[in-house]
Amino acid sequence: MADTTGRPAPKHHGLSAKTLRSLEHASGRLASASVAEMERRLVWFARLPADQRASVLLITQTGASGFVAWLRDSKEALQLTTEAFRDAPTEVSRWISLRQAVAMVRLAIEVFEEQLPEFAASEAERAALIEGILRYGREIAFAAANSYAAAAEARGAWDARLEALVVDGIVRGDAEESVLSRAAALGWDPAAAATVLVGNPPSDDPPTVVFDVRARAARVGRAVLLSVQGSRLVIVIGGPTEGGPKEREILARMSTVFAEGPVVAGPTMPTLAEAHHSAAEALSGLRAVVGWPSAPRPVRSDDLLPERALSGDPGAERLLVDRVARPLEEAGAALQRTVETYLDTGGVLERCAQTLFVHPNTVRYRLRKAAELTGRNPTDARDALVLRVALTVGRLARARGLW
């Protein structure tokens, strides 16, 4: 065949101009046959609403037209194949998964392989068409993967921003409803217990931090919400973290995702709606933990009450009064005076008994009683510090008329 200048018409991929024109005219039929095969062989596809199936037909027709254009100029292959998905409705990826999209591409390629040979004028053209559709199908598959990857990245970026808003709301103690609704959108169970863990982020790259935290959370089997807030990493851990060794081990394993330095855990709250209390105490503990260089990692905010009180945390002062000073006073002057004298004598039992003019066994009994009331054993060095600070805070609060 010759063109208008009398020269032979050019061939593309070993195909004549006549074959290309025939393919171009039949592209709509090929696309319809592909969609019909999808309806027959893919159960889930047949159940799609009519408008969604029509969208798939439109994409398939664009792909079929792109195949003919690709055969004419393979140098534009990537651009042409990408166009098959560029004009697709943005919601397609919401109701068709990547696995399902690959299944549709595979079926369309099979239909094209079956029907293309009838357009070939020779065995050479037949082979060229089969090779072309296979190569073009590969390009289509890559284009689909890129389209879904871009959609996933966009959703991931949005989820990350939403998650940061949730954690920021918990830290700032925002309205419960907004925090809970956003957390629910992220798949968090609002009725699950929540514990806030704070420390230094292990990296300056937030995506790396998010990956490390989620990988660790997956290994311990817990849901998490996290946010990198400047020089600190805030993690909300779902489920109980107090009680038996297994629950306490959760905090120890999650603390490994933080950089070197202290890691503080707030109290476990019954629901996410109350998690702001855990966050407030954890952050208070993080500011005060420098006063206890040998603090364990992680350390509970309740174990940092003396340091928090000395740093000016009124909440810690109230807790020391409620948990230690008031129970000792209400138990009687003798018990409180025994604890104070024991601490003042440097923890020497005999000297304490001599100062009080009682038998050492009486001192032992009273110290055990004090430990039962406050949960702090005066014979333990750390608990002795808590008791001393609590008694001092209690006296100051009473002097100011706060108790």
Side-chain angles (χ1 to χ4, degrees):
M1 177 179 293
D3 60 16
T4 56
T5 63
R7 293 181 302 223
K11 292 187 177 182
H12 307 273
H13 288 272
L15 302 174
S16 64
K18 179 181 178 181
T19 299
L20 291 174
R21 284 195 300 271
S22 299
L23 286 173
E24 191 171 16
H25 294 155
S27 60
R29 177 169 62 85
L30 291 171
S32 299
S34 300
V35 173
E37 190 68 11
M38 295 175 194
E39 292 178 343
R40 187 180 70 84
R41 295 175 55 179
L42 301 177
V43 177
W44 59 265
F45 183 84
R47 295 174 180 171
L48 291 177
D51 60 328
Q52 295 179 0
R53 293 199 304 273
S55 296
V56 174
L57 176 59
L58 177 63
I59 297 172
T60 308
Q61 288 174 339
T62 304
S65 299
F67 174 56
V68 179
W70 181 85
L71 290 174
R72 294 183 185 278
D73 188 356
S74 61
K75 293 181 180 179
E76 302 295 330
L78 183 59
Q79 176 183 352
L80 293 172
T81 53
T82 303
E83 287 178 356
F85 293 89
R86 181 179 301 161
D87 298 329
T90 56
E91 67 272 11
V92 168
S93 61
R94 299 177 186 174
W95 40 265
I96 295 180
S97 68
L98 178 58
R99 185 187 300 274
Q100 292 171 333
V102 171
M104 291 193 303
V105 171
R106 181 182 292 112
L107 275 179
I109 297 303
E110 289 181 4
V111 171
F112 272 60
E113 281 188 88
E114 291 175 358
Q115 300 195 19
L116 283 179
E118 68 181 73
F119 299 97
S122 64
E123 285 296 325
E125 285 196 349
R126 183 191 302 267
L129 283 173
I130 297 300
E131 179 185 357
I133 192 57
L134 293 177
R135 292 175 58 191
Y136 184 72
R138 180 186 62 188
E139 297 292 347
I140 285 287
F142 281 134
N146 287 332
S147 176
Y148 275 80
E153 288 177 358
R155 287 194 298 269
W158 169 250
D159 287 349
R161 291 192 294 271
L162 186 62
E163 185 174 5
L165 288 174
V166 171
V167 176
D168 184 61
I170 291 172
V171 169
R172 293 190 289 114
D174 281 350
E176 296 176 3
E177 289 303 322
S178 62
V179 171
L180 295 180
S181 62
R182 290 168 177 168
L186 293 169
W188 181 277
D189 180 7
T195 305
V196 176
L197 199 62
V198 296
N200 298 322
S203 170
D204 294 332
D205 182 33
T208 301
V209 175
V210 171
F211 176 81
D212 292 342
V213 173
R214 296 211 180 285
R216 175 62 61 180
R219 284 194 286 271
V220 301
R222 290 296 180 90
V224 295
L225 297 169
L226 70 143
S227 175
V228 178
Q229 301 180 340
S231 61
R232 71 188 181 196
L233 169 62
V234 181
I235 302 177
V236 184
I237 305 173
T241 58
E242 298 174 338
K246 183 177 179 180
E247 286 75 16
R248 293 195 298 270
E249 180 66 16
I250 297 295
L251 288 182
R253 295 176 65 181
M254 286 303 301
S255 66
T256 60
V257 303
F258 290 87
E260 292 185 3
V263 177
V264 182
T268 298
M269 307 310 295
T271 64
L272 188 66
E274 303 166 89
H276 59 278
H277 297 298
S278 181
E281 294 204 24
L283 292 172
S284 173
L286 188 64
R287 290 189 294 268
V289 70
V290 65
W292 186 10
S294 59
R297 176 188 160 104
V299 59
R300 284 281 188 178
S301 58
D302 282 354
D303 294 330
L304 291 165
L305 288 178
E307 290 78 13
R308 291 169 55 192
L310 291 173
S311 67
D313 182 356
E317 294 180 9
R318 287 193 298 271
L319 289 174
L320 287 173
V321 170
D322 293 340
R323 297 179 182 180
V324 179
R326 183 178 285 115
L328 287 177
E329 180 175 308
E330 293 175 349
L335 184 62
Q336 181 175 346
R337 184 164 179 247
T338 299
V339 173
E340 291 175 338
T341 303
Y342 180 79
L343 297 175
D344 290 340
T345 56
V348 179
L349 189 69
E350 291 74 14
R351 285 184 58 191
C352 178
Q354 292 173 2
T355 303
L356 295 173
F357 299 104
V358 297
H359 193 277
N361 285 342
T362 301
V363 175
R364 292 189 181 93
Y365 168 78
R366 291 176 180 174
L367 294 181
R368 286 197 299 270
K369 184 66 174 176
E372 293 173 1
L373 288 173
T374 65
R376 302 292 180 175
N377 185 357
T379 63
D380 178 81
R382 177 65 189 176
D383 286 350
L385 172 64
V386 176
L387 288 165
R388 182 179 294 277
V389 174
L391 291 171
T392 302
V393 168
R395 287 191 290 268
L396 293 173
R398 183 174 288 282
R400 296 195 301 264
L402 302 177
W403 173 22

